[in-house]
Amino acid sequence: MPPKINGLLQRAGGVVQGFSVAQRTLVILGVALLALGGFALAAMLTKPSYTPLFSGLQASDASTIVEQLRADGVPYELSAGGSTILVPEEKVYDQRLKAASAGLPSAAATGYALLDDMGVTSSEFQQSVTYKRALEGELAATVTALDGVKKASVRLAIPEETVFVSKKADPTASVFVETRNGVTLSTDQIEAIVHLTSASIEGMKPESVAVIDSKGTVLSAVGAGATGSADKQAANYEENVRNSVQSMLDRVVGPGNATVAVAADISRESAERVEEAFTSPQEDLALNESTRTETYEGTGGPAAGVLGPDNIAVPGGNGDGGTFNSEESTRNNAVNKVTESRKIPAGTLNRQTVSVAVNDAAAAGIDVGRITDLVRAAAGINADRGDEVTVQVVPFNTAGADAAAEALAAADAAADAERIAGLIRTAIIVAGVLLFMLLAAILYARRSRHQLREPVDLGERYDAQPELVTVPAPIALDPPTAAIDIQALPVPPAETADIELKRAQIDALAGSDPERTAEYLRSLIDDRQPV
């Protein structure tokens, strides 16, 4: 090793030996953290940037593409449940071209792509079915693009156009939706699916679209709209009214001092009603009017007389002449006519009842009549419809609430105890780890100190007798260095010659290199100290 590097290492070792145990521990921890950080940074910098190769793959296509990547030795990652394959960015285009040459992805064409393979010899039936399949595929792809939708399937029922049917049936559609894990479609999203489907088909109405999820829940029923069946509509209406009344009572009598029950009778039938009403106009307006007048005067006409027996006129005079007048009028007056056609869907509210129970402990000074009026207004009670409201002041059973409070307190205490126990376990583990690291640091420091010691070359070993050994004279240094006076220890006579030889060698070394001599003496002193 070069002298400069050796000297640098010796000085560093000397600085480290001058540290205390705590300082050495901190240095070791800092070096370890620095090494870990450097390793993480190097791993992050050397990791390739991944980008999607294909997304929305079927299981068979994904398996084939993965086998191809493995054969080529290209690293890859899977996401979105295995339907998306990620590869390094520099490999994307090569792998896409290779997959395309192998006919991957091999999923069947959907949407308007089906029309590309139709020939001129296709029959009218094939064209109609293919066009319907294309519409279904396009609608399914559009619905799948909604947030939270994993898969969608659309089925259309479009009646054939013919001149032999007096009344044409309306087209209908059914939409199957599979949502992602933990996702529930909102009412706005369901209405969006309904209106998107109905607006894409000519003559289709929104109430003619049915939406069903993967759990078999009817999200939108035909004829009922996006609100679902009558039972669901009744449940939603009852919940809305109950929340409205309960919120009002909580402010009046206090939270927990009143309970509300709502029962709604929702119609399950849908109908179409046509009404015609006729009224007279405020002014007499005639659509048409005609008058016929007939008058006769002179002789030769029938003479006026008195009817006799058998309705035979008896002459009353000479019959010289007579007069005959006749007038007939016909008038057609205007009449106001109103024709009203209404379609009544299922879900009409026929009747509702609201029951309210108030705790007597909180009803002191409260007028029940006022509470009843407030409930009537909040629930939208219609007396003509037969709605009823009942408000009673009764004592509440608090046993369940007390038991729940005790259980909640016990759960809180158990949670606190578990949290404290977890903190204690964590503290014990941390203390154990720190103690282990401290002991390891101490052992490493002591071992490093022993390893940093270098053997001192004391010259050639003399095996001759003590009286034949010649001790070299001390080397004069500038500035002069005082000789090291080493006091002799009482030793047995047999070892005196060996000690004298070592003393002479140390004197020679002290004269040539005082620093190495001092370091050597310190190491001897440390070795003699008990551990």
Side-chain angles (χ1 to χ4, degrees):
M1 185 178 293
K4 293 184 178 180
I5 298 178
N6 191 12
L8 181 62
L9 293 177
Q10 289 180 0
R11 287 195 296 273
V15 172
V16 172
Q17 288 180 359
F19 287 169
S20 63
V21 176
Q23 291 175 339
R24 293 177 183 177
T25 304
L26 292 177
V27 169
I28 293 173
L29 292 177
V31 172
L33 291 176
L34 184 61
L36 291 176
F39 178 77
L41 181 61
M44 182 179 64
L45 293 178
T46 56
K47 183 179 179 180
S49 177
Y50 283 82
T51 186
L53 177 63
F54 293 105
S55 59
L57 294 173
Q58 300 293 333
S60 58
D61 293 339
S63 176
T64 306
I65 294 175
V66 166
E67 291 297 333
Q68 173 184 317
L69 295 176
R70 289 177 179 174
D72 295 342
V74 178
Y76 65 90
E77 292 181 359
L78 298 177
S79 63
S83 62
T84 300
I85 301 178
L86 305 175
V87 296
E89 189 173 359
E90 62 274 9
K91 300 288 186 180
V92 170
Y93 300 107
D94 295 338
Q95 293 300 320
R96 283 182 182 174
L97 293 177
K98 190 170 183 179
S101 64
L104 297 174
S106 60
T110 58
Y112 290 122
L114 295 172
L115 303 177
D116 298 336
D117 299 332
M118 293 186 62
V120 294
T121 59
S122 300
S123 63
E124 183 179 357
F125 175 75
Q126 290 177 336
Q127 294 178 2
S128 176
V129 172
T130 305
Y131 178 68
K132 188 175 72 171
R133 288 178 57 197
L135 289 178
E136 293 174 350
E138 292 294 333
L139 287 173
T142 306
V143 173
T144 307
L146 291 176
D147 188 17
V149 178
K150 182 180 180 181
K151 185 186 300 183
S153 177
V154 180
R155 294 292 179 268
L156 300 177
I158 304 176
E160 297 181 1
E161 296 184 359
T162 176
V163 297
F164 298 103
V165 178
S166 60
K167 185 177 181 181
K168 181 180 178 181
D170 295 333
T172 59
S174 61
V175 182
F176 172 81
V177 178
E178 181 181 356
T179 59
R180 302 186 185 277
N181 294 333
V183 177
T184 302
L185 295 180
S186 63
T187 305
D188 294 338
Q189 290 178 313
I190 298 172
E191 291 181 354
I193 295 174
V194 169
H195 289 286
L196 173 67
T197 306
S198 63
S200 302
I201 307 301
E202 182 181 0
M204 183 176 293
K205 300 178 181 179
E207 55 268 16
S208 299
V209 179
V211 182
I212 301 94
D213 64 0
S214 57
K215 299 179 182 179
T217 305
V218 178
L219 304 179
S220 176
V222 175
T227 54
S229 61
D231 293 337
K232 187 175 181 180
Q233 294 182 29
N236 293 336
Y237 180 81
E238 291 171 357
E239 183 179 1
N240 292 335
V241 174
R242 180 169 54 251
N243 292 337
S244 177
V245 176
Q246 187 68 55
S247 176
M248 181 268 298
L249 291 177
D250 288 343
R251 292 180 175 272
V252 175
V253 298
N257 292 321
T259 180
V260 182
V262 180
D265 181 14
I266 301 296
S267 175
R268 302 173 183 269
E269 300 177 353
S270 59
E272 187 172 356
R273 183 176 181 179
V274 179
E275 293 181 355
E276 290 186 355
F278 298 91
T279 58
S280 300
Q282 296 180 356
E283 300 178 358
D284 268 347
L285 300 179
L287 295 177
N288 52 64
E289 183 177 359
S290 62
T291 304
R292 180 181 178 185
T293 304
E294 184 178 357
T295 304
Y296 178 78
E297 295 181 357
T299 61
V306 180
L307 292 178
D310 301 327
N311 292 330
I312 297 175
V314 178
N318 55 9
D320 291 339
T323 301
F324 175 79
N325 295 325
S326 175
E327 183 176 354
E328 181 180 354
S329 297
T330 302
R331 183 177 184 181
N332 295 325
N333 293 327
V335 178
N336 294 335
K337 179 181 179 181
V338 178
T339 303
E340 182 179 1
S341 178
R342 292 186 301 170
K343 188 173 183 180
I344 304 174
T348 304
L349 179 61
N350 295 331
R351 183 174 177 270
Q352 67 171 338
T353 58
V354 181
S355 301
V356 178
V358 182
N359 189 6
D360 59 352
I366 295 179
D367 188 0
V368 178
R370 293 183 177 181
I371 296 295
T372 304
D373 294 338
L374 292 175
V375 173
R376 287 179 180 275
I381 299 299
N382 186 357
D384 297 337
R385 192 171 51 196
D387 298 349
E388 294 182 1
V389 175
T390 303
V391 178
Q392 295 290 337
V393 178
V394 294
F396 278 18
N397 186 2
T398 60
D402 297 339
E406 294 177 359
L408 183 61
D412 293 340
D416 294 338
E418 182 66 22
R419 184 167 56 255
I420 294 174
L423 293 176
I424 293 175
R425 286 194 299 268
T426 305
I428 292 174
I429 294 174
V430 172
V433 172
L434 292 178
L435 181 60
F436 175 77
M437 295 178 63
L438 181 61
L439 293 176
I442 293 174
L443 294 177
Y444 178 78
R446 296 181 69 87
R447 182 178 179 182
S448 299
R449 183 174 60 187
H450 288 290
Q451 290 178 351
L452 289 175
R453 295 173 186 154
E454 296 182 359
V456 179
D457 187 9
L458 299 179
E460 185 180 1
R461 180 178 178 181
Y462 296 92
D463 297 331
Q465 298 296 329
E467 60 273 7
L468 299 179
V469 177
T470 303
V471 179
I475 301 175
L477 299 176
D478 190 17
T481 304
I484 300 175
D485 186 11
I486 301 176
Q487 300 295 331
L489 298 176
V491 295
E495 300 179 357
T496 303
D498 190 18
I499 292 176
E500 291 296 334
L501 177 61
K502 290 183 178 181
R503 182 180 298 174
Q505 292 173 349
I506 292 174
D507 290 339
L509 180 62
S512 61
D513 194 348
E515 294 183 358
R516 293 184 61 185
T517 303
E519 181 66 25
Y520 177 66
L521 292 176
R522 281 196 296 269
S523 64
L524 292 177
I525 295 173
D526 292 341
D527 289 342
R528 293 175 183 178
Q529 292 179 355
V531 180

